[in-house]
């Protein structure tokens, strides 16, 4: 496996243990922890990049006493690809967190927080390299528990505790489906080892179909597929911002990894699998961005955009499955390639956006967009990097979000006229166009309400830029968005072995099929570079022309108002109201409107509130019913040990009879 990889894991976990030992209220815990994580992540990137570039495979195996296989790990092309965003985002978020958590050094046990952060990074890395079902489920559970304790960092708040329990419940319900899936596969293969699963390539419809459904539900709960997403908009806003960046940018992608890895166990794919993922992707993408557009809480808005982008990834994977099932290798390569590349791209720009939101929260003390405004003058670094992330998440050139979505668009257009793929491809094209349009509307709202205009409150008026320890991680991720876009033609070649392992096509054939997108990407890259160069030339020319000349300031046209104020600006509710009204049947938004009266109104207000309809209409009634049923069985709780022993004995007898 390589001593370097295991050394990085030991370094990360060691820093967490050191932070825990340093104990409560020690400022050193907030220094040792993030430094160790950052150093360990740098070490972990080396073997991952080596596997991607050279095509080698690193393996490690040992005997253990657990049944069903050996303790084994492997870094192949797919695992290495997912390790890159894990270590990148974890490292920069750790540096950011060292400054973000500084205000809690005398009030919180930061040693425990960094221990769980380290455990989360290690468990995510082990999830993507585990080659045994038992090991996978163990580290999956560690990942879930570590993230639960990070989400509940501010557990003294009722809303945070509730978000933590919703997350813990959802992740364990998903784990139940995964356990059933692995037990079923092990029963057929006689082992929990992934090598045995891949060798069997379960093809029977009686096995492959149900296993695929279990994987979609189990892994989709972690990824945030609608309708299994309800934990995500609760947990991400509740967590500290560097943890939100890690969970949204990286942790939910372990669900995508698990789903893709499961596809390598099943062969050949059935066409309805692709239709199902396309349907899930369209639902998650469109509804996710609609709910994001309706939000007023900045971090909650970003959380719903994670649902949207997971939907885009599902669209790519769905097209890839349709291409494989219908023997259209170009569609398979472009679909899988676009979906997987969007995993990396989303990690970069969503990590950046959550760190930017944390910088705003750190400076103003609020996440409510209607209490902000004018921050571009007071927080120029945060504003610039957040704008870069906004362009990327909207899928606009020349940044990286456009590149992966371009893969999916080209794949869908390539088979648009073919009878066996025209309907899903047309749905993908229309759906992604709609998602992109709504995303642009959403982020023009965010940039306009939060960063432009005038401050709406004293907190926004007195905001200050974050220091270098928080700015540099944001700059690094913004540069990462630019770098992926600039290197897109070369990244296509590096994606070939990764796509080949999923699509069941040779790497050489994948490279040939991906040439359809190579030339357009080169054109986009050069146009993007010329655009950046042109903007730089114009900026320098402007600076030269204005040198030595007085520059005055004046108010903008105020529409005839003699005394304009910040209250006359668009709010997050008023800006989004026309679009929200169009989709009121889905969003079911509640509106409070005090209309202006007379020529000189003293008061007018508009406020909208959009709850998650899936939580309100499905999960809350369901869990209330379960709670009532549980209450109806309260009579069985006798309080005597003898009765409980009788229950156990009866259960054992029933199980023994059933096993005969």
């Amino acid at each position: 496996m390589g001593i370097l990889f295991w050394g990085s894991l030991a370094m990360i976990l060691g820093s967490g243990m050191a932070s825990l030992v340093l104990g409560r209220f020690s400022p050193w815990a907030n220094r040792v922890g993030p430094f160790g994580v950052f150093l360990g992540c740098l070490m972990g990137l080396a073997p991952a990049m080596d596997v991607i570039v050279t095509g080698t495979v690193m393996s490690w195996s040992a005997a253990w006493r657990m049944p069903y296989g050996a303790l084994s790990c492997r870094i192949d092309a797919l695992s290495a690809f997912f390790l890159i965003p894990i270590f990148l985002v974890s490292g920069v978020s750790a540096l950011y967190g060292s400054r973000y958590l500084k205000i809690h050094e005398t009030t919180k046990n930061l040693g425990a927080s960094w221990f769980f952060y380290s455990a989360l990074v290690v468990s995510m890395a082990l999830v993507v390299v585990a080659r045994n079902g038992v090991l996978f489920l163990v580290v999956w559970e560690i990942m879930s528990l570590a993230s639960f304790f990070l989400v509940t960092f501010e557990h003294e708040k009722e809303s945070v505790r509730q978000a933590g329990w919703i997350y813990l419940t959802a992740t364990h319900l998903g784990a139940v489906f995964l356990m059933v899936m692995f037990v079923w596969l092990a029963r057929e293969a006689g082992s929990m080892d992934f090598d045995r699963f891949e060798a069997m390539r379960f093809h029977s419809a009686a096995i492959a179909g149900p296993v695929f459904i279990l994987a979609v539900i189990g892994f989709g709960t972690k990824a945030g597929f609608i309708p299994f997403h309800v934990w995500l908009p609760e947990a991400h806003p509740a967590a500290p911002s560097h943890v939100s960046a890690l969970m949204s940018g990286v942790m939910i992608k372990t669900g995508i990894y698990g789903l893709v890895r499961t596809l390598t166990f099943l062969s050949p794919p059935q066409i309805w699998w692709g239709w199902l993922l396309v349907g899930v992707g369209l639902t998650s993408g469109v509804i996710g961005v609609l709910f994001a557009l309706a939000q007023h809480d900045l971090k909650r808005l970003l959380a719903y955009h994670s649902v949207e982008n997971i939907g885009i990834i599902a669209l790519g994977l769905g097209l890839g499955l349709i291409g494989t099932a219908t023997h259209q290798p170009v569609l398979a390569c472009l679909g899988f390639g676009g979906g997987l590349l969007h995993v990396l791209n989303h990690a970069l720009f969503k990590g950046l956006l959550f760190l930017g939101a944390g910088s705003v929260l750190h400076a103003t003390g609020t996440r409510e967009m209607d209490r902000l405004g004018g921050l571009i003058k007071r927080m120029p670094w945060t504003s610039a990097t957040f704008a870069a992330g906004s362009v990327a998440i909207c899928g606009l050139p020349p940044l990286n979000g456009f590149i992966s979505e371009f893969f999916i668009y080209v794949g869908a257009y390539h088979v648009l006229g073919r009878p066996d793929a025209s309907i899903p491809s047309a749905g993908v094209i229309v759906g992604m166009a709609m998602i992109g349009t709504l995303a642009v509307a959403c982020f023009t709202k965010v940039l306009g309400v939060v960063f432009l205009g005038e401050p709406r409150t004293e907190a926004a008026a007195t905001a200050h830029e974050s220091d270098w320890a928080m700015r540099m991680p944001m700059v690094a991720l913004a540069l990462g968005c630019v770098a992926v876009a600039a290197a897109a033609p070369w990244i296509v070649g590096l994606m070939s072995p990764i796509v080949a392992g999923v699509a069941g096509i040779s790497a050489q054939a994948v490279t040939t099929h991906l040439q359809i997108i190579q030339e357009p990407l080169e054109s986009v890259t050069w146009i993007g570079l010329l655009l950046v160069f042109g903007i730089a030339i114009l900026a320098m020319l402007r600076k030269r022309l204005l040198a030595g000349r007085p520059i005055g300031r004046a108010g903008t046209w105020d529409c005839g108002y003699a005394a304009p104020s910040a209250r006359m600006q668009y709010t997050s509710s008023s800006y989004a109201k026309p679009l929200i009204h169009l989709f009121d049947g889905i969003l079911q938004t509640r509106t409070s409107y005090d209309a202006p009266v007379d020529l000189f109104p003293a008061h007018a207000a508009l406020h909208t509130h959009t709850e998650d309809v899936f939580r309100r209409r499905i999960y809350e009634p369901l869990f209330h019913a379960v709670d009532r049923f549980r209450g109806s069985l309260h009579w069985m709780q006798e309080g005597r040990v003898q009765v409980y022993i009788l229950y156990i004995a009866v259960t054992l007898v029933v199980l023994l009879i059933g096993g005969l």
Side-chain angles (χ1 to χ4, degrees):
M1 189 85 177
I3 191 172
L4 190 60
F5 176 72
W6 289 109
S8 68
L9 296 185
M11 177 68 70
I12 294 170
L13 192 57
S15 70
M17 291 297 295
S19 299
L20 193 62
V21 170
L22 286 170
R24 190 175 178 86
F25 306 149
S26 172
W28 283 100
N30 198 35
R31 299 171 188 173
V32 173
F35 176 76
V37 171
F38 181 75
L39 185 59
C41 288
L42 285 180
M43 296 173 63
L45 279 172
M49 293 300 299
D50 181 54
V51 169
I52 291 292
V53 174
T54 65
T56 58
V57 175
M58 299 182 181
S59 300
W60 179 85
S61 181
W64 63 345
R65 295 184 178 181
M66 296 294 293
Y68 299 108
L71 175 63
S72 58
C73 298
R74 179 186 301 170
I75 308 179
D76 58 10
L78 183 62
S79 296
F81 177 77
F82 277 84
L83 284 175
I84 291 172
I86 287 174
F87 286 132
L88 274 176
V89 178
S90 298
V92 297
S93 297
L95 291 183
Y96 180 99
S98 65
R99 184 64 185 85
Y100 185 83
L101 295 179
K102 191 173 179 62
I103 60 174
H104 297 291
E105 286 182 349
T106 59
T107 58
K108 292 280 187 179
N109 187 351
L110 298 187
S113 177
W114 285 112
F115 169 76
F116 289 119
Y117 188 96
S118 303
L120 177 58
V121 176
V122 172
S123 58
M124 287 191 299
L126 288 176
V127 160
V128 300
V129 302
R131 298 291 298 176
N132 176 274
V134 175
L135 176 61
F136 184 95
L137 290 172
V138 169
V139 294
W140 185 271
E141 182 67 11
I142 294 173
M143 177 180 68
S144 299
L145 291 175
S147 51
F148 165 75
F149 287 111
L150 290 171
V151 167
T152 55
F153 176 75
E154 296 183 281
H155 55 82
E156 65 276 6
K157 299 178 181 178
E158 171 62 26
S159 60
V160 172
R161 293 197 299 271
Q162 184 181 22
W165 288 117
I166 291 173
Y167 167 62
L168 196 63
T169 302
T171 192
H172 280 93
L173 287 176
V176 170
F177 287 90
L178 297 183
M179 188 175 298
V180 173
M181 183 192 77
F182 279 113
V183 169
W184 196 344
L185 292 175
R187 180 181 178 182
E188 298 294 326
S191 172
M192 279 278 194
D193 287 341
F194 289 2
D195 291 341
R196 181 70 68 87
F197 294 166
E198 291 172 352
M200 292 194 67
R201 300 290 285 187
F202 301 94
H203 60 276
S204 171
I207 300 173
V211 166
F212 177 75
I213 293 295
L214 290 170
V216 169
I217 297 174
F219 291 119
T221 301
K222 180 69 71 177
F225 289 160
I226 285 179
F228 314 119
H229 70 291
V230 289
W231 66 269
L232 200 149
E234 305 295 332
H236 288 188
S241 294
H242 65 294
V243 175
S244 301
L246 185 60
M247 292 178 66
S248 182
V250 178
M251 190 196 73
I252 62 175
K253 307 304 178 10
T254 59
I256 298 297
Y257 167 80
L259 180 58
V260 174
R261 181 62 75 182
T262 303
L263 293 177
T264 66
F265 306 155
L266 311 174
S267 177
Q270 301 169 39
I271 192 169
W272 66 266
W273 300 0
W275 281 76
L276 176 62
L277 282 188
V278 167
V280 169
L282 288 173
T283 304
S284 299
V286 174
I287 295 181
V289 72
L290 283 174
F291 274 108
L293 185 62
Q295 301 307 309
H296 312 306
D297 183 306
L298 182 55
K299 289 181 68 176
R300 191 176 180 87
L301 178 147
L302 295 177
Y304 273 112
H305 273 289
S306 293
V307 177
E308 169 221 331
N309 280 272
I310 287 295
I312 293 174
I313 294 170
L315 289 176
L317 299 181
L319 285 181
L321 284 172
I322 292 172
T324 305
T326 57
H327 307 290
Q328 300 180 67
V330 175
L331 177 60
C333 294
L334 290 173
F336 284 128
L340 291 172
L341 185 56
H342 204 71
V343 168
L344 173 61
N345 288 337
H346 181 255
L348 293 173
F349 59 65
K350 183 49 68 66
L352 166 60
L353 290 169
F354 265 113
L355 296 186
S359 180
V360 170
L361 174 60
H362 186 267
T364 63
T366 182
R367 305 189 312 241
E368 289 295 324
M369 290 185 284
D370 291 335
R371 296 180 58 82
L372 300 170
L375 295 184
I376 191 171
K377 302 172 185 176
R378 297 158 183 84
M379 306 178 69
W381 285 87
T382 299
S383 302
T385 53
F386 195 96
S390 300
V391 172
I393 198 173
C394 291
L396 299 175
L399 296 186
N400 60 333
F402 169 79
I403 304 301
S404 47
E405 293 187 22
F406 188 59
F407 269 73
I408 301 173
Y409 270 118
V410 172
Y413 273 111
H414 183 72
V415 296
L416 192 57
R418 301 192 180 185
D420 51 0
S422 58
I423 294 177
S425 62
V428 168
I429 293 170
V430 173
M432 287 190 60
M434 185 175 179
I435 292 168
T437 302
L438 292 171
V440 170
C442 187
F443 278 93
T444 53
K445 179 184 89 167
V446 174
L447 292 173
V449 174
V450 175
F451 295 101
L452 301 180
E454 296 297 324
R456 293 170 171 81
T457 61
E458 184 65 22
T462 58
H464 57 84
E465 183 61 272
S466 302
D467 65 14
W468 69 270
M470 294 175 65
R471 290 200 305 263
M472 289 303 102
M474 292 188 289
V475 171
L477 290 176
L479 292 176
C481 294
V482 175
V484 171
W490 296 274
I491 290 177
V492 171
L494 294 177
M495 292 293 296
S496 295
I498 304 164
V499 174
V502 181
I505 306 172
S506 68
Q508 184 176 0
V510 172
T511 302
T512 302
H513 295 315
L514 289 181
Q515 286 179 353
I516 190 175
I517 204 171
Q518 193 89 24
E519 186 175 344
L521 282 180
E522 290 178 358
S523 301
V524 170
T525 299
W526 283 112
I527 292 172
L529 292 175
L530 289 174
L531 175 64
V532 173
F533 182 73
I535 292 173
I537 292 295
L538 290 175
M540 289 188 292
L541 180 62
R542 177 181 182 275
K543 184 177 180 180
R544 184 184 181 93
L545 292 175
L546 294 178
R549 299 172 61 182
I551 302 176
R553 291 181 180 271
T556 57
W557 179 57
D558 53 17
C559 304
Y561 287 100
S565 70
R567 281 185 54 82
M568 296 177 182
Q569 302 175 123
Y570 272 112
T571 64
S572 58
S573 293
S574 60
Y575 184 90
K577 186 66 173 69
L579 283 172
I580 292 174
H581 180 68
L582 288 175
F583 299 96
D584 196 52
I586 298 174
L587 298 175
Q588 300 181 21
T589 299
R590 295 199 298 269
T591 303
S592 173
Y593 179 45
D594 293 333
V597 180
D598 298 328
L599 295 177
F600 300 97
H603 176 75
L606 171 68
H607 181 73
T608 59
H609 179 67
T610 306
E611 290 184 307
D612 194 303
V613 294
F614 294 93
R615 176 182 172 182
R616 179 161 53 91
R617 294 295 182 90
I618 299 176
Y619 290 100
E620 287 184 356
L622 176 62
F623 280 97
H624 286 323
V626 171
D627 192 54
R628 288 193 299 270
F629 176 73
R630 180 192 60 81
S632 68
L633 300 177
H634 185 70
W635 60 270
M636 299 179 65
Q637 192 172 359
E638 290 283 343
R640 289 181 291 178
V641 176
Q642 299 94 321
V643 176
Y644 298 151
I645 294 175
L646 177 62
Y647 292 160
I648 296 172
V650 171
T651 302
L652 290 174
V653 170
V654 172
L655 291 174
L656 288 172
I657 294 173
L660 294 178

